[in-house]
Amino acid sequence: MNFVSIKKRASLFFFFLAIIIPCSVFSQDTVTGAELPVTDAPLAENEISPQEKNNGKNINIDAELMYGQYNNILSTLSLIQSTDSFTYQLNTDFTRSNDFGYDNSSFYESEVGFSGKGQITKNWSIIPQLDIYNESHGMFGNSFYNREEKDKIVLLLKNEYKPTPSRWQVNFGGGQYVHRLMGADPYDMSFYKLNEEIEWEYVWSSSYQWSFRHYSSHYFYKNTTNDDYHVGNEILGSFKIMEYIKISAGGIMDWNRDAGFFPSGKAQIASVGLKYFILEGAYIYDLVPFMPEDLYFDQKFIYPNNNLPPGKVHKGDVKGSFELSKKSKSDIYIKKIKIKCRGLFEDNNNFYNYNFGLLPGNVLSAETVHAHSLGMENEAAIDVAMFAYEVGFLFSYRFDRYYADDNITYRPEHRFNGGVTFTSEKWALEWSNEYNSSMYVYPGSSEKLGDFIVGMLELRIQMVDSLFFNIKLNNLYNMNYCYIPGYAEPGFTVLAGLRIII
């Protein structure tokens, strides 16, 4: 049995499980309007809390099934279990739709994710992670291709060993990636990736520490291009020069199949010990390898070009954050404020730029261009307690401006997300909006896709002690938009379903 058939069976099994066992991971605090737990965060990155250890063998399950227009199905399942020695989380998501007003526009997306953390000894823990993903999208009225399909399996095994005053982390992983364009002249591209990483950190004192990192990745392509290989080594020293300031500096030595040996370095200055603020500034000059799984698998309707070189990148990064939380007996007060700001500068001699219409079949490809970019990211979250309600505000804004000989395509200059949530003992309401400014379609043309805003409204009502009714309105303003010319996204859609709490 090959990997593809295994992951498809796994996806169907967990989708079936999500329908048969509709339960919930929400605690009693969640039902009464306290903060919702973040069930989609990978537990493998966090320490096991005392609360998790006290849960013993308790299992928390959250499952939801919704149905709507165009025979839409939305199914999710999240399962968390904690014991004294092992904590794990299992997530499954399945979405599908018939043709939504356009011929051959049906699609499905399925994902199964697993992450865990096992405490082998006091100082040694293992962290397994597995992700299985499948998708299939109809290509509308395309006369050359009729369907795009993607499959991937990604496995990672981390080992953390922390004998004071040092820390070791040894990671091994790999993945299988498959991309198919179906039609009269089908295209099938697949590759395997193996990667390993070793990290060492030695805390000399509260003011001095040293770290070393070695990593490598190897791509095995099927009937397309030669294998690709990248190795990186980094050594870094950190020194506290003042009570609230720490500096770090070090050297980097990379080796890449296409670029050979490449020495470089990095430097960083950061605040330490401030109660509410974190401030950081960093500069790095590095050889960034070409990673097709990042460039292609988050983009639809694409014809991958896997023979792209690595990029020599100068990168400046300045960021700061502020966080404040409190409790009060007042009827109205601010429970939490969290603000993040970040500024980015990048000079990349091989920036990966999408090109539409370069190949037959109205699909995207990619090529390289020397580009400079300026970016900014801002996030703000505010939680307010208001009598028997809790109101949450969440906003994010991203700005990206590029300077290159060609237009940088399919990357809007302005992106904004904003939302408001209302939570009470018996019901919860969420209203969110996403805005994308116009973006270039062709590197050598001024043609653009128009800007758009997409809204979502979701209402959850508690019917009985353990049963919720959900209704969700997608593309609330019935906006006609697309990310790639000729491939429209669904319009206004209504879904309704149940969420059961046990």
Side-chain angles (χ1 to χ4, degrees):
M1 183 182 298
N2 59 34
F3 284 152
V4 175
S5 61
I6 290 174
K7 68 184 177 202
K8 287 185 176 179
R9 293 186 183 185
S11 300
L12 292 173
F13 169 74
F14 289 116
F15 170 57
F16 177 76
L17 187 64
I19 298 176
I20 298 300
I21 314 177
C23 310
S24 178
V25 72
F26 291 119
S27 65
Q28 187 62 33
D29 287 340
T30 301
V31 178
T32 57
E35 292 185 6
L36 297 177
V38 182
T39 59
D40 57 354
L43 296 181
E45 298 296 329
N46 302 320
E47 297 290 341
I48 299 175
S49 67
Q51 181 181 0
E52 288 174 331
K53 292 183 178 180
N54 291 335
N55 282 338
K57 298 183 178 180
N58 290 341
I59 300 177
N60 297 316
I61 303 175
D62 175 12
E64 181 179 22
L65 179 63
M66 302 185 76
Y67 180 82
Q69 291 171 280
Y70 314 114
N71 288 323
N72 279 2
I73 294 177
L74 172 64
S75 172
T76 63
L77 168 69
S78 178
L79 183 151
I80 300 174
Q81 183 177 12
S82 298
T83 67
D84 291 338
S85 59
F86 190 70
T87 299
Y88 73 90
Q89 176 167 334
L90 173 68
N91 294 303
T92 72
D93 294 277
F94 180 82
T95 305
R96 57 93 59 200
S97 173
N98 283 354
D99 292 341
F100 47 85
Y102 302 90
D103 183 42
N104 193 26
S105 60
S106 63
F107 69 89
Y108 76 82
E109 298 175 353
S110 173
E111 183 171 11
V112 177
F114 173 87
S115 62
K117 186 167 187 177
Q119 203 70 35
I120 306 303
T121 66
K122 179 181 178 181
N123 295 322
W124 177 29
S125 59
I126 59 172
I127 304 169
Q129 296 179 357
L130 174 66
D131 183 63
I132 303 172
Y133 182 81
N134 315 97
E135 72 171 59
S136 177
H137 287 263
M139 299 186 68
F140 295 69
N142 196 317
S143 59
F144 206 86
Y145 300 114
N146 56 54
R147 224 160 171 84
E148 180 186 51
E149 297 179 347
K150 297 178 185 177
D151 306 307
K152 69 178 179 181
I153 300 178
V154 182
L155 177 64
L156 179 63
L157 180 63
K158 297 182 179 181
N159 289 269
E160 289 186 349
Y161 182 57
K162 300 179 179 180
T164 306
S166 63
R167 179 185 71 87
W168 289 86
Q169 183 165 299
V170 182
N171 307 329
F172 300 97
Q176 180 194 26
Y177 301 83
V178 178
H179 179 271
R180 293 178 292 269
L181 291 171
M182 314 299 292
D185 185 15
Y187 169 80
D188 189 342
M189 185 280 291
S190 64
F191 63 88
Y192 295 89
K193 177 184 179 181
L194 294 179
N195 54 275
E196 54 85 19
E197 181 179 30
I198 300 173
E199 291 187 10
W200 169 80
E201 183 181 72
Y202 187 85
V203 181
W204 188 274
S205 69
S206 60
S207 300
Y208 304 98
Q209 64 186 52
W210 292 91
S211 63
F212 171 78
R213 178 174 178 250
H214 162 81
Y215 65 96
S216 68
S217 57
H218 198 146
Y219 293 88
F220 302 88
Y221 293 104
K222 176 184 176 182
N223 301 325
T224 53
T225 60
N226 295 326
D227 295 347
D228 203 359
Y229 193 70
H230 183 89
V231 179
N233 297 280
E234 173 186 312
I235 186 167
L236 191 68
S238 298
F239 311 93
K240 191 175 179 182
I241 60 173
M242 297 176 63
E243 183 178 2
Y244 298 109
I245 299 178
K246 179 178 72 174
I247 62 171
S248 304
I252 301 172
M253 176 62 76
D254 293 326
W255 184 88
N256 187 276
R257 185 202 69 172
D258 297 316
F261 285 100
F262 183 79
S264 55
K266 65 187 298 184
Q268 178 179 323
I269 183 169
S271 65
V272 291
L274 297 180
K275 187 174 182 180
Y276 302 113
F277 293 93
I278 298 177
L279 301 173
E280 281 183 33
Y283 166 79
I284 182 170
Y285 181 41
D286 199 9
L287 184 69
V288 178
F290 170 59
M291 295 182 286
E293 69 275 19
D294 292 340
L295 183 65
Y296 295 132
F297 274 80
D298 289 334
Q299 182 66 267
K300 291 188 294 187
F301 311 120
I302 197 160
Y303 191 105
N305 175 11
N306 293 317
N307 194 24
L308 296 177
K312 297 177 181 179
V313 181
H314 296 269
K315 186 175 182 179
D317 189 350
V318 179
K319 54 187 175 182
S321 63
F322 168 80
E323 185 170 351
L324 175 66
S325 60
K326 68 175 184 177
K327 295 182 179 180
S328 174
K329 296 182 179 180
S330 302
D331 292 332
I332 302 176
Y333 69 96
I334 297 177
K335 293 182 63 178
K336 179 186 287 188
I337 299 177
K338 190 172 184 178
I339 300 173
K340 293 182 179 181
C341 299
R342 187 179 187 185
L344 298 166
F345 164 79
E346 186 174 293
D347 176 10
N348 190 339
N349 76 322
N350 281 317
F351 184 86
Y352 305 122
N353 196 27
Y354 296 113
N355 196 335
F356 175 70
L358 185 65
L359 298 170
N362 286 341
V363 291
L364 291 179
S365 187
E367 55 190 8
T368 61
V369 63
H370 191 166
H372 300 80
S373 64
L374 294 174
M376 179 175 62
E377 299 175 357
N378 298 291
E379 296 181 13
I382 303 174
D383 292 335
V384 180
M386 188 178 297
F387 300 101
Y389 306 97
E390 183 172 320
V391 184
F393 302 90
L394 179 63
F395 304 96
S396 66
Y397 170 72
R398 182 181 176 101
F399 166 82
D400 292 287
R401 177 165 291 175
Y402 298 91
Y403 303 90
D405 293 336
D406 294 329
N407 298 323
I408 302 301
T409 58
Y410 297 96
R411 293 173 174 89
E413 187 171 359
H414 305 279
R415 281 174 282 185
F416 170 81
N417 286 275
V420 182
T421 60
F422 297 88
T423 306
S424 72
E425 183 178 355
K426 298 294 183 180
W427 61 271
L429 179 69
E430 179 183 357
W431 175 49
S432 62
N433 295 276
E434 174 190 349
Y435 171 77
N436 283 258
S437 65
S438 60
M439 52 188 176
Y440 287 106
V441 178
Y442 303 101
S445 170
S446 60
E447 182 178 345
K448 288 186 175 183
L449 286 173
D451 59 343
F452 61 86
I453 183 170
V454 180
M456 188 276 293
L457 185 68
E458 183 171 7
L459 174 65
R460 182 175 76 239
I461 302 174
Q462 184 177 12
M463 301 172 64
V464 294
D465 183 54
S466 60
L467 180 64
F468 288 86
F469 172 76
N470 282 20
I471 184 168
K472 187 174 184 179
L473 310 179
N474 287 325
N475 198 350
L476 188 61
Y477 319 117
N478 198 25
M479 178 67 66
N480 184 12
Y481 73 104
C482 58
Y483 293 104
I484 298 175
Y487 300 105
E489 297 295 320
F492 177 78
T493 308
V494 181
L495 296 97
L498 296 175
R499 180 179 244 163
I500 300 175
I501 298 176
I502 295 180

